[in-house]
Amino acid sequence: MAEQLPIYELETAILSSLRQDRRLIISAPTGSGKSTQVPQILLNHGALGDGQVVILQPRRLATRLLAARVARERDAELGGEVGYQIRFENVTSPRTRIRYVTEGVLLRQIVREPNLAEVSALVFDEFHERHLYGDITLARALDLQEGPRPDLKLIVMSASLDAARLEDYLRPCRVLESQGRVFPVETQYATAPNYIDKRPVWEQAAAAFSEFVRSGQPGDVLVFMPGGFEISQTIEAIRHCDESRGFILLPLHGELPPGEQDAAVARYDRRKVVVATNVAETSLTIEGVRCVIDSGLARIPRYDPYRGINTLLIEKISRASAEQRAGRAGRTAPGLCMRLWSREEHAHRPEHELPEVKRLDLAEVALTLKAAGVEDLRKFRWLEAPEERALAHAEELLVDLGAIGGAAPHPITELGRKMLAFPLHPRYSRMLLAAQNSGCVYQACLVAALTQGHDLLLRNVDRRTAELREDLLMTKASSDFFVLMRAWNYAVRNDCRMEACRRLGIHSMTARQVGPLFQQFLEIARRESLDATQRDVPEEALQKCILLGFSDRVARRLDSGTLRCELVHGRRGVLTRESIVQKSALFVAAEVHEVEGRDKSVTTLLSLATTIEERWLTELFPEDRQNSERAFYDAATKRVYAEKSLCFRGLAISTRRTDPSAEAAARLLAEEVLAQRLALPDWDQGLEQWILRLNRLSQWCPELELPAITDADRRHLVEQICHGAFSLKDLKEKPVKSVVKSWLSPAQRELLEKHAPERLTLASGRAPKVVYEAGALPRIAVRIQELFGVTSTPHIAMGRAPVLVQILSPAMRPVQITQDLASFWREHYPRIKQELQRKYPKHEWR
């Protein structure tokens, strides 16, 4: 009996609390019955008056199944007293008193009906998951309650809440807690951490399943996996275990048809294994589960505002989510949770998931809030404020779409209000409204309908199916959308029969679901005074509409040999191999996703692509076009070239090669010379010594006012030499030394030769070359005989710089280095003479 569920211990407190405070937090463990019974308690005790109770659920699957369960409990037809409403599906009637909805549905209702006149109570279920629309709708409900609807009752429920933060946010409110009737759940961890156990996660799960069955414990098994691929692999791995005999193996995730979802939660006379995503983590009741096998993973959607892409990567769940999953094993009896990660790894997991407001695209909710009268999004009463970059990117996109004004605080435009009529992302809404001017509303509605659910075309089909698909669907197609449209029309002509759809690799169930959605969009379009008449229109018309909705995803192929692409705003990606526009140089991608492969590599994939023409960008976005010119050095030809580019939001969409300016060519050639990738003729060691002589003398004798050559001056001189040249060949005839030495006047050159000479004349008559170095004394290298008669150390630079003397043997081998010749002759020469005279008796010795 429902009345025996633990939540009924709070029945009296719930009713009395709502009479006093109108705001209530209920914390109750999984299995207490709060999702199904609290709405019935309100209805049964007259707490709703003549109004509805609306229960917000974060997931579509739970929304539908909970409504169906409550309808059964009340012996009512679904859609009568009890109903549900999710995006694109409304199973309610004027008689509905208990209405389960997904969160975005209610927020849109608040925009249409600011007072929610027919709603008496709002219940926010599983609020700990912190879904974006749950946060936003709660804030709007508080505004409503503090304004025109003080009678509105608000209940926030969860099994695990940050109660302190929420209580402070909702104050004044009451907090009720039910201990429930949770049975003990034993938790087992993997003996080895994940980085040691290299088996695929489905093999680990299958091994855990076998261990559980061999232990002799009773009950069904619930396995958590991150996605559909992992679910199918897990089912296959368990099916090959001997221990699976007698078990029913069932998948459960949001992409399954309703019938298969119902099958996973149904009761059987045999034991079952349900392999599910995190849709089974909360709300849903799967009777008989005594063992949970948890991979500890989930596909977490995120939006990167810096790159403007959606990501769906496999990540480790939080400790709070892990506890929620474990609780599914203790609903009706003691249970077991087998975690496929070690106890040490568990301690390093985050305590809670990051709220969606901090990780999802805010464009749609930002437009909804603008329509609801929230002018400044930064002053909205966020439970947790999003990052400034995410808000700015959402507003930037809405400005590009014409949905809000360009000047702060960016008020909603009339076009933006029209866009809200469609329960779609603003991109698709903009596309539909643009189609009115092109006469292709009918086709645009079909495009939108084809992208809201599962993929229509199956991937990885066999060769025969691929060839047939290419013949019937892909001939002369300029957009992946057109291929989908042809596939759907084929399915419709064949009544969506499974056999006919299978021939072309079409998902027959998805094809059936597109039709009602298509009709719904057509009805909305007509209601908004759009001409949705079916007529033949040029493909170009629809391509332009798609471009208007996705102009920030314009892409250009980098080369014809690969699928690598460059997008506007400096991003890069790879066009999917399934795309029909692989030979198009310029296209727009309706979907940009960062996905993680089975080898953990991450790729930015561009899909649902449509070929576009350069002239359309000029026609539709004249203010976003820029002409640019750049010169560049080609290392292969050792030559400077120039390109003139037409750019769209930073993306070069067309280029042509021209002659560079002499200044640009000189600058680029100089960079190559300075980086020593090119060599100037006659710029040799002697010229480098000339520059060092000048720089050292300017330091030693600043009163001579000789201009040193700095790094910037060197660059200037090299550019001067390169001026008029465009290639290495042109540099071969350049007068290098004369240009460099013209840095000094004739008089300055005389001073340089006098005080920092290239050669130093000694008393012996010898003139050895002086070697100059930055930060060191000048030096000469001479044989000992050439120093006879030189009794003191030579100096240059007006006597300020002693010359370091490297003394050599007659065989030119180093003997000694000194900067004090007098001391050398007096103290060291006698010994050296004695040693060298024996080796070189024929040489003069004094």
Side-chain angles (χ1 to χ4, degrees), residues 269-474:
D269 55 5
R270 295 161 54 193
R271 297 174 74 182
K272 67 181 178 183
V273 178
V274 177
V275 188
T277 60
N278 55 4
V279 299
E281 193 174 298
T282 56
S283 296
L284 292 182
T285 297
I286 305 177
E287 301 289 350
V289 172
R290 297 285 294 276
C291 175
V292 166
I293 299 173
D294 189 359
S295 68
L297 304 172
R299 288 193 180 272
I300 307 295
R302 297 184 187 273
Y303 179 74
D304 186 341
Y306 294 93
R307 292 176 292 167
I309 62 174
N310 297 304
T311 66
L312 189 62
L313 305 182
I314 296 177
E315 300 181 16
K316 296 176 181 178
I317 62 171
S318 68
R319 297 198 299 272
S321 292
E323 289 304 312
Q324 288 279 353
R325 293 182 175 187
R328 313 311 280 177
R331 297 290 293 268
T332 57
L336 172 67
C337 176
M338 306 175 76
R339 291 176 174 165
L340 304 183
W341 66 95
S342 68
R343 188 181 298 275
E344 291 74 19
E345 289 175 297
H346 185 73
H348 291 91
R349 292 186 174 228
E351 185 176 356
H352 294 281
E353 308 291 353
L354 191 67
E356 283 189 350
V357 72
K358 291 184 176 293
R359 59 180 170 86
L360 292 188
D361 178 10
L362 301 178
E364 187 172 358
V365 75
L367 182 60
T368 307
L369 287 175
K370 294 281 186 180
V374 180
E375 290 189 0
D376 190 344
L377 297 178
R378 288 147 191 85
K379 294 180 180 179
F380 182 67
R381 61 192 301 171
W382 304 98
L383 177 54
E384 286 187 61
E387 292 184 7
E388 170 57 29
R389 176 62 183 167
L391 277 179
H393 190 275
E395 290 179 330
E396 179 182 64
L397 174 59
L398 294 175
V399 169
D400 286 346
L401 295 175
I404 61 176
H410 306 294
I412 189 168
T413 63
E414 187 58 33
L415 177 63
R417 292 191 182 280
K418 290 181 178 179
M419 289 165 63
L420 275 175
F422 298 91
L424 296 164
H425 189 281
R427 297 179 185 280
Y428 285 100
S429 301
R430 179 69 184 93
M431 178 191 72
L432 289 171
L433 293 174
Q436 172 68 11
N437 297 327
S438 303
C440 57
V441 173
Y442 182 90
Q443 289 82 356
C445 285
L446 179 54
V447 165
L450 286 165
T451 57
Q452 303 307 309
H454 310 160
D455 289 341
L456 180 65
L457 291 177
L458 301 175
R459 298 182 180 181
N460 302 319
V461 295
D462 58 53
R463 181 176 179 179
R464 180 179 179 183
T465 302
E467 291 175 350
L468 186 60
R469 181 187 287 180
E470 185 171 352
D471 290 340
L472 296 180
L473 305 180
M474 299 184 178

Side-chain angles (χ1 to χ4, degrees), residues 336-615:
L336 172 67
C337 176
M338 306 175 76
R339 291 176 174 165
L340 304 183
W341 66 95
S342 68
R343 188 181 298 275
E344 291 74 19
E345 289 175 297
H346 185 73
H348 291 91
R349 292 186 174 228
E351 185 176 356
H352 294 281
E353 308 291 353
L354 191 67
E356 283 189 350
V357 72
K358 291 184 176 293
R359 59 180 170 86
L360 292 188
D361 178 10
L362 301 178
E364 187 172 358
V365 75
L367 182 60
T368 307
L369 287 175
K370 294 281 186 180
V374 180
E375 290 189 0
D376 190 344
L377 297 178
R378 288 147 191 85
K379 294 180 180 179
F380 182 67
R381 61 192 301 171
W382 304 98
L383 177 54
E384 286 187 61
E387 292 184 7
E388 170 57 29
R389 176 62 183 167
L391 277 179
H393 190 275
E395 290 179 330
E396 179 182 64
L397 174 59
L398 294 175
V399 169
D400 286 346
L401 295 175
I404 61 176
H410 306 294
I412 189 168
T413 63
E414 187 58 33
L415 177 63
R417 292 191 182 280
K418 290 181 178 179
M419 289 165 63
L420 275 175
F422 298 91
L424 296 164
H425 189 281
R427 297 179 185 280
Y428 285 100
S429 301
R430 179 69 184 93
M431 178 191 72
L432 289 171
L433 293 174
Q436 172 68 11
N437 297 327
S438 303
C440 57
V441 173
Y442 182 90
Q443 289 82 356
C445 285
L446 179 54
V447 165
L450 286 165
T451 57
Q452 303 307 309
H454 310 160
D455 289 341
L456 180 65
L457 291 177
L458 301 175
R459 298 182 180 181
N460 302 319
V461 295
D462 58 53
R463 181 176 179 179
R464 180 179 179 183
T465 302
E467 291 175 350
L468 186 60
R469 181 187 287 180
E470 185 171 352
D471 290 340
L472 296 180
L473 305 180
M474 299 184 178
T475 305
K476 297 181 179 179
S478 54
S479 171
D480 293 330
F481 284 119
F482 297 164
V483 175
L484 293 180
M485 293 166 73
R486 293 173 184 175
W488 185 73
N489 285 322
Y490 167 87
V492 170
R493 288 195 303 270
N494 288 276
D495 298 323
C496 295
R497 293 192 305 274
M498 186 174 295
E499 182 180 346
C501 289
R502 189 181 293 119
R503 292 181 62 233
L504 290 184
I506 297 172
H507 196 298
S508 60
M509 181 60 69
T510 299
R512 292 180 184 276
Q513 293 170 347
V514 168
L517 197 55
F518 179 30
Q519 293 303 317
Q520 183 179 349
F521 289 164
L522 290 173
E523 291 172 8
I524 297 174
R526 295 184 184 109
R527 189 169 66 236
E528 295 299 309
S529 301
L530 303 185
D531 182 3
T533 305
Q534 183 177 3
R535 60 169 65 90
D536 291 333
V537 294
E539 289 188 350
E540 177 179 314
L542 186 54
Q543 289 171 262
K544 287 183 179 179
C545 294
I546 295 170
L547 171 58
L548 280 165
F550 297 90
S551 61
D552 65 325
R553 292 178 176 175
V554 171
R556 177 180 62 85
R557 292 279 302 285
L558 286 174
D559 53 70
S560 59
T562 71
L563 298 176
R564 296 181 302 119
C565 304
E566 188 174 32
L567 290 87
V568 295
H569 305 311
R571 297 168 294 167
R572 293 209 169 186
V574 178
L575 183 62
T576 56
R577 297 188 179 279
E578 297 83 7
S579 178
I580 195 66
V581 305
Q582 290 185 14
K583 295 183 180 179
S584 299
L586 201 61
F587 63 89
V588 61
E591 290 186 356
V592 181
H593 286 287
E594 192 173 70
V595 297
E596 184 178 62
R598 299 174 193 174
D599 60 352
K600 302 299 181 181
S601 62
V602 177
T603 305
T604 300
L605 290 179
L606 314 180
S607 57
L608 287 183
T610 300
T611 300
I612 60 172
E613 301 289 340
E614 176 187 326
R615 57 187 172 85

Side-chain angles (χ1 to χ4, degrees), residues 657-813:
R657 191 166 280 189
T658 63
D659 293 327
S661 66
E663 290 75 15
R667 184 180 67 256
L668 290 171
L669 288 173
E671 288 178 359
E672 296 301 309
V673 170
L674 293 168
Q676 299 183 350
R677 291 187 290 267
L678 284 182
L680 283 173
D682 292 338
W683 192 302
D684 53 17
Q685 186 61 30
L687 191 57
E688 287 291 347
Q689 279 290 295
W690 188 88
I691 295 173
L692 277 168
R693 288 164 57 198
L694 170 59
N695 289 351
R696 297 298 278 145
L697 184 57
S698 69
Q699 293 171 346
W700 291 325
C701 305
E703 69 271 24
L704 297 179
E705 297 183 348
L706 295 179
I709 296 178
T710 66
D711 289 344
D713 297 328
R714 179 187 288 263
R715 177 178 292 274
H716 171 77
L717 287 168
V718 175
E719 286 187 16
Q720 186 178 344
I721 294 168
C722 294
H723 196 273
F726 297 91
S727 66
L728 176 62
K729 181 180 179 182
D730 297 336
L731 293 176
K732 292 182 178 179
E733 306 300 325
K734 290 292 183 178
V736 175
K737 291 184 177 179
S738 62
V739 171
V740 175
K741 292 184 177 182
S742 68
W743 185 257
L744 299 179
S745 67
Q748 290 172 325
R749 287 200 292 271
E750 288 181 9
L751 290 173
L752 178 63
E753 294 301 326
K754 179 179 179 181
H755 297 295
E758 181 180 7
R759 291 183 176 274
L760 183 64
T761 302
L762 303 175
S764 63
R766 298 291 184 179
K769 182 175 289 188
V770 183
V771 178
Y772 295 83
E773 292 182 17
L777 291 174
R779 72 177 190 273
I780 58 174
V782 292
R783 288 182 297 179
I784 195 167
Q785 282 79 14
E786 295 172 346
L787 287 173
F788 289 160
V790 183
T791 58
S792 60
T793 302
H795 287 68
I796 61 173
M798 301 170 67
R800 298 174 187 174
V803 177
L804 197 65
V805 181
Q806 184 179 28
I807 302 171
L808 306 176
S809 71
M812 303 299 286
R813 293 190 176 93

Side-chain angles (χ1 to χ4, degrees), residues 113-181:
E113 307 167 21
N115 292 339
L116 292 182
E118 296 181 358
V119 177
S120 297
L122 296 178
V123 177
F124 296 80
D125 197 14
E126 306 299 351
F127 194 76
H128 72 279
E129 294 193 21
R130 297 298 308 284
H131 282 243
L132 174 60
Y133 277 98
D135 280 15
I136 302 302
T137 308
L138 178 58
R140 295 302 295 158
L142 291 175
D143 288 341
L144 189 58
Q145 192 186 61
E146 293 171 2
R149 287 294 310 279
D151 61 312
L152 184 65
K153 300 173 180 65
L154 302 179
I155 302 176
V156 179
M157 305 193 305
S158 178
S160 58
L161 275 173
D162 183 355
R165 175 194 289 270
L166 189 61
E167 185 177 358
D168 184 63
Y169 183 68
L170 293 177
R171 187 170 283 117
C173 69
R174 294 282 300 277
V175 179
L176 299 179
E177 186 171 355
S178 169
Q179 298 303 317
R181 193 168 58 239

Side-chain angles (χ1 to χ4, degrees), residues 16-60:
S16 62
S17 297
L18 289 176
R19 282 194 293 269
Q20 295 176 22
D21 296 318
R22 304 284 178 179
R23 296 179 186 175
L24 178 61
I25 298 174
I26 299 177
S27 178
T30 299
S32 61
K34 59 186 180 300
S35 300
T36 57
Q37 304 308 308
V38 168
Q40 297 188 68
I41 289 173
L42 299 180
L43 179 60
N44 292 341
H45 290 272
L48 302 177
D50 295 329
Q52 281 186 342
V53 55
V54 177
I55 308 95
L56 281 82
Q57 281 291 327
R59 296 186 177 88
R60 291 177 299 171

